[in-house]
Amino acid sequence: MTTTHLGMPTVASDPHGHLRGTESFPVAAHRALADTQLRQNLGHATRTIRAKRAAVVGEVDDWEELRRAGECLKADVMARLPELLEQLEASVTARGGVVHWARDAEEANRIVVDLVQETGADEVVKVKSMATQETGLNEALGAAGIAALETDLAELIVQLSDDRPSHFLVPAIHRNRSEIRDIFLREMPDVDPDLTDEPRRLAMAARAHLRRKFLSARVGISGANFAVADSGTISVVESEGNGRMCLTLPDTLITVMGVEKIVPTWSDLEVFLQLLPRSSTGERMNPYTSTWSGVTPGDGPQTFHLVLLDNGRSNVLASPDGRQALHCIRCSACLNVCPVYERTGGHAYGSIYPGPIGAVLSPQLTGISGPDDVNASLPYASTLCGACFDACPVRIDIPHLLVQQRAAAVDAHTRPTAQDVAMRAAAAAMATPGRFSLAERVVKLGRLLGRSGRIRSVPGPGAAAWFGARDMPPPPAETFREWWARRERTRRDRT
Amino acid sequence: MTARDEVLARLRAARDAGGSTSPAVPREYRRTGTLPPGSAAAVARLDETLTDYKAAVHRVRTEDEVPGAIAAVLRDAGATSIVVPAGLPAAWLTAYDGEVRTDGPPLSVADLDATDAVVTGGAVAIADTGTFVLDARAPDQGRRAISLVPDHHVCVLRADAVVSSVPEALARLDPDGPLTFVSGPSATSDIELDRVEGVHGPRRLDVVLVGPV
Ligand code: SF4
């Protein structure tokens, strides 16, 4: 069995939580690339999901119009974020919820630990949430003697094997079915010893393992996919029903959400509830979406806390372009189409936000402390092929953001290399939307400028090791888009 | 400075630095569906999409056929006890001979767990996606726990609750909720990203669809 355990402190010593690994992307990627099993697992899973997504997106004839609406809705939210948050606070409070504010991960964790301690519970059930992964809440609860039970199947796999999530949607995407069976056999005390690796049997084992916990849980902890400012409605999108269990059965519900998850009105959800399921699991609709507003007498938790988390988001908001990274609805489509992610997996990014969006979000959330900051290497975790933009349901121009952040890193250098200059030119070209292919050509210029035909000096710590590991001269002579177009032409000619 | 004031102050400064002009939101996507609400075509499409995500669909022409359809489904599943919300039409259960537990006063979670099935109505259904929505405050749908804990859910949907698209459905719903959007039995994509049915929510889902066949 392969274990890819990359260095990440188990207790978040950084007030930002789990937004930074302990080694640079090239170093971590180098090791991941050597793991054949990991590459096979990722290749299989991402191929499956890409095909499913393409099929259900193809059914929707107004997909591009939905994407454009999603993009502008998010841009509107950013322009009115403080006012919308105050409105959300008022709506939630009016419906019996209690709103808390957290400057950083540490503060959010402290708030949640205190709230759980007030209930006297020593165990909580959790539905998968990127926000609490980000803050390292489970470790904080553990330090306070409170057991946090992850209930999402993939999170459970990660938790049982003392691993780290490597994908937004399927944190255990790096595990195949037989590895999952082995983990269950080893870690679930009452599991059937004849458990097979049939996915249905594995799902049943998870059901049996968690059932009693759900039915007796007193405190549930969740994230939020969306929060509607004018009605105070919170929404959680899920598949297994573990979310419904956590949101419905406990007496107390604590929801932790990043401040950017807000949408102005209920009807705006009509855009996102179409974009999200088709982009993430490749389904017309995910099995379960729950929405609730404050406390409903006689139904569900009678105490509801909403924790609004900044943790660097205000840094990101201050950048006119960079704030696009806050538009992300965590569908993971950009991960699934990324040729780099597909080969390295999520752990190599260090931060709990992997893939193309992680590469532009994490460094902005933490800020870059200097050339040795491991997050400074993340904007280089890309071939700039543009597939992430095409897949993104809210049209985040990730390639543009990547180039921009590389350029920002370059500005810190005293003597620019040929590649630096090309990167800056590319950033300028990409400032105008629609000129991306021109920018791609400029990046290739960097290749011409390189003295030996190989790029020897790439800004960003250890980047050369990354390129070395991939054993190819980047940027490629042919961009991904050109390659794709050529491949499509060849395929058409053949049929 | 409280955390609230500090976060809001930071966000205000950042927003002003990054730009505070709101773009107009283009609403060029379809806000009315391709199939008329309640039409035979919408009902037929819902049948297809529900079936595609492994719900078993039972079509009946009129309300009179509902009791027979419910009883047949429960018999097939071997359900000897069911829970129903207090406002479920009593006529729907006239052909069922098992034990009926009405959720009023509320049953305990342990009682729900010891009940074979739940029968509810639905607020609205979306043909394009194979979804129905339960409104916890509707008398024939009931609080969320009753349609969650039993392992088998039978939902009765009338044609007039069927719309084509997500925007049409949201327009009919009250955001004060609680609402549960259900699209097939519980499932997971967490093992190699393939969909497998049957995790924590009801593993069996039957939909009795009342309307033009
Ligand atoms: S950046 Fe776009 S594609 Fe990537 S996870 Fe976020 S919303 Fe999805």
Side-chain angles (χ1 to χ4, degrees):
Chain A
M1 207 181 79
T2 29
T3 333
T4 313
H5 203 91
L6 304 179
M8 151 107 29
T10 43
V11 173
S13 47
D14 187 325
H16 280 118
H18 290 170
L19 290 173
R20 222 187 229 118
T22 51
E23 51 192 2
S24 72
F25 182 81
V27 174
H30 188 77
R31 190 170 45 246
L33 286 166
D35 186 337
T36 322
Q37 182 69 67
L38 174 76
R39 271 215 315 281
Q40 273 170 11
N41 294 355
L42 284 167
H44 171 70
T46 53
R47 265 194 309 280
T48 307
I49 194 69
R50 285 198 299 265
K52 284 175 70 187
R53 176 191 166 276
V56 297
V57 165
E59 280 179 8
V60 181
D61 57 15
D62 56 349
W63 186 253
E64 287 309 313
E65 288 77 12
L66 285 166
R67 286 179 78 209
R68 262 191 291 276
E71 175 188 18
C72 293
L73 272 166
K74 285 293 188 178
D76 174 41
V77 165
M78 295 312 142
R80 298 193 285 138
L81 194 53
E83 293 76 22
L84 289 171
L85 285 165
E86 286 177 299
Q87 193 186 8
L88 176 72
E89 179 187 44
S91 320
V92 170
T93 309
R95 288 162 180 81
V98 184
V99 177
H100 309 259
W101 301 74
R103 282 168 271 228
D104 57 22
E106 238 170 47
E107 188 165 27
N109 292 345
R110 204 161 48 238
I111 292 169
V112 177
V113 168
D114 286 350
L115 290 171
V116 177
Q117 280 173 337
E118 273 170 37
T119 69
D122 59 4
E123 188 171 86
V124 300
V125 286
K126 282 188 72 205
V127 53
K128 186 168 90 67
S129 127
M130 293 307 296
T132 61
Q133 281 288 354
E134 175 183 328
T135 65
L137 177 63
N138 291 3
E139 294 89 332
L141 287 167
I146 300 160
L149 204 66
E150 291 291 353
T151 64
D152 179 84
L153 178 51
E155 283 285 3
L156 178 68
I157 296 163
V158 166
Q159 192 175 46
L160 287 175
S161 56
D162 200 17
D163 200 350
R164 289 196 294 118
S166 67
H167 192 267
F168 297 149
L169 173 69
V170 189
I173 193 172
H174 55 291
R175 300 291 194 185
N176 67 25
R177 59 185 75 189
S178 69
E179 291 172 300
I180 296 169
R181 183 204 47 208
D182 294 344
I183 292 167
F184 281 10
L185 284 174
R186 205 174 53 235
E187 304 294 339
M188 282 182 180
D190 38 12
V191 76
D192 173 4
D194 296 326
L195 184 69
T196 67
D197 66 0
E198 193 195 328
R200 204 180 152 73
R201 294 281 307 276
L202 296 170
M204 290 304 138
R207 179 184 167 101
H209 178 71
L210 289 171
R211 184 93 185 153
R212 215 168 20 84
K213 297 288 188 188
F214 280 135
L215 301 187
S216 61
R218 291 167 52 203
V219 180
I221 296 181
S222 85
N225 290 97
F226 307 103
V228 181
D230 74 344
S231 61
T233 309
I234 313 291
S235 163
V236 167
V237 174
E238 54 129 356
S239 294
E240 297 167 16
N242 61 312
R244 292 177 72 190
M245 292 278 179
C246 295
L247 301 171
T248 310
L249 299 182
D251 311 317
T252 300
L253 172 62
I254 304 168
T255 298
V256 182
M257 63 171 252
V259 289
E260 80 284 14
K261 294 276 149 197
I262 205 160
V263 300
T265 68
W266 171 249
S267 65
D268 296 327
L269 284 184
E270 71 190 20
V271 174
F272 298 110
L273 289 184
Q274 294 191 75
L275 290 172
L276 179 56
R278 291 184 200 257
S279 301
S280 61
T281 44
E283 293 166 305
R284 296 186 189 100
M285 194 65 98
N286 50 291
Y288 301 129
T289 295
S290 296
T291 70
W292 74 95
S293 185
V295 168
T296 307
D299 188 345
Q302 295 300 296
T303 306
F304 171 54
H305 296 278
L306 179 64
V307 182
L308 300 172
L309 175 70
D310 179 348
N311 205 33
R313 285 159 178 77
S314 41
N315 294 342
V316 189
L317 187 66
S319 156
D321 287 337
R323 67 160 65 159
Q324 271 187 74
L326 296 176
H327 296 187
C328 174
I329 58 173
R330 309 275 187 265
C331 72
S332 64
C334 61
L335 279 58
N336 299 332
V337 299
C338 178
V340 174
Y341 177 88
E342 187 181 0
R343 285 166 182 80
T344 64
H347 291 159
Y349 296 79
S351 162
I352 57 114
Y353 296 114
I357 184 63
V360 295
L361 181 61
S362 308
Q364 292 197 85
L365 285 171
T366 57
I368 297 300
S369 59
D372 294 331
D373 188 326
V374 294
N375 277 358
S377 66
L378 287 178
Y380 295 90
S382 166
T383 62
L384 297 178
C385 73
C388 48
F389 170 73
D390 295 336
C392 179
V394 291
R395 295 171 48 92
I396 300 173
D397 194 349
I398 300 173
H400 168 62
L401 298 183
L402 285 164
V403 172
Q404 202 181 46
Q405 285 180 42
R406 291 181 187 184
V410 169
D411 283 340
H413 284 223
T414 43
R415 279 190 315 127
T417 62
Q419 179 69 5
D420 292 345
V421 174
M423 277 299 166
R424 268 196 219 144
M430 285 195 200
T432 321
R435 292 176 62 195
F436 185 53
S437 51
L438 168 64
E440 282 178 332
R441 272 176 220 122
V442 179
V443 173
K444 277 193 296 186
L445 195 60
R447 188 172 171 276
L448 299 178
L449 292 171
R451 259 162 300 169
S452 60
R454 278 189 87 81
I455 289 168
R456 300 202 317 216
S457 162
V458 176
W466 155 235
F467 289 128
R470 302 191 62 210
D471 198 25
M472 59 183 274
E478 186 183 42
T479 67
F480 184 85
R481 277 180 185 209
E482 288 166 349
W483 171 80
W484 182 260
R486 182 170 57 79
R487 198 184 79 136
E488 286 302 290
R489 273 196 304 277
T490 326
R491 279 168 77 201
R492 265 202 308 278
D493 292 347
R494 267 198 232 117
T495 46
Chain B
M1 214 182 197
T2 64
R4 176 185 188 276
D5 293 346
E6 192 172 333
V7 170
L8 280 170
R10 279 188 201 165
L11 288 172
R12 258 189 219 102
R15 184 268 311 274
D16 295 345
S20 56
T21 322
S22 277
V25 177
R27 305 272 181 181
E28 284 145 17
Y29 58 89
R30 272 203 325 264
R31 302 191 86 182
T32 48
T34 46
L35 309 168
S39 64
V43 173
R45 176 68 181 146
L46 178 65
D47 183 352
E48 273 171 28
T49 50
L50 279 169
T51 307
D52 195 27
Y53 284 158
K54 307 292 189 310
V57 179
H58 312 273
R59 304 281 294 270
V60 298
R61 251 172 261 274
T62 67
E63 191 94 9
D64 297 345
E65 296 171 56
V66 170
I70 290 176
V73 163
L74 293 172
R75 198 177 317 115
D76 176 61
T80 59
S81 59
I82 60 170
V83 54
V84 298
L88 194 84
W92 285 1
L93 301 175
T94 46
Y96 174 63
D97 52 13
E99 185 194 341
V100 178
R101 301 170 180 165
T102 303
D103 187 51
L107 297 171
S108 70
V109 171
D111 287 342
L112 292 174
D113 193 34
T115 305
D116 291 333
V118 54
V119 180
T120 70
V124 58
I126 308 167
D128 286 350
T129 60
T131 305
F132 61 82
V133 185
L134 302 171
D135 181 342
R137 290 174 311 174
D140 66 341
Q141 291 151 55
R143 64 193 176 101
R144 287 173 286 174
I146 68 166
S147 48
L148 172 63
V149 178
D151 201 12
H152 178 194
H153 183 185
V154 182
C155 180
V156 181
L157 296 169
R158 298 189 181 94
D160 61 13
V162 180
V163 297
S164 179
S165 68
V166 173
E168 291 167 296
L170 290 191
R172 288 193 185 194
L173 292 164
D174 177 355
D176 272 356
L179 303 172
T180 308
F181 293 63
V182 178
S183 311
S186 86
T188 180
S189 301
D190 282 358
I191 302 163
E192 300 178 7
L193 272 170
D194 233 342
R195 180 162 166 146
V196 200
E197 277 73 24
V199 202
H200 305 292
R203 284 178 288 186
R204 176 167 174 173
L205 177 63
D206 287 278
V207 175
V208 176
L209 201 46
V210 193
V213 177

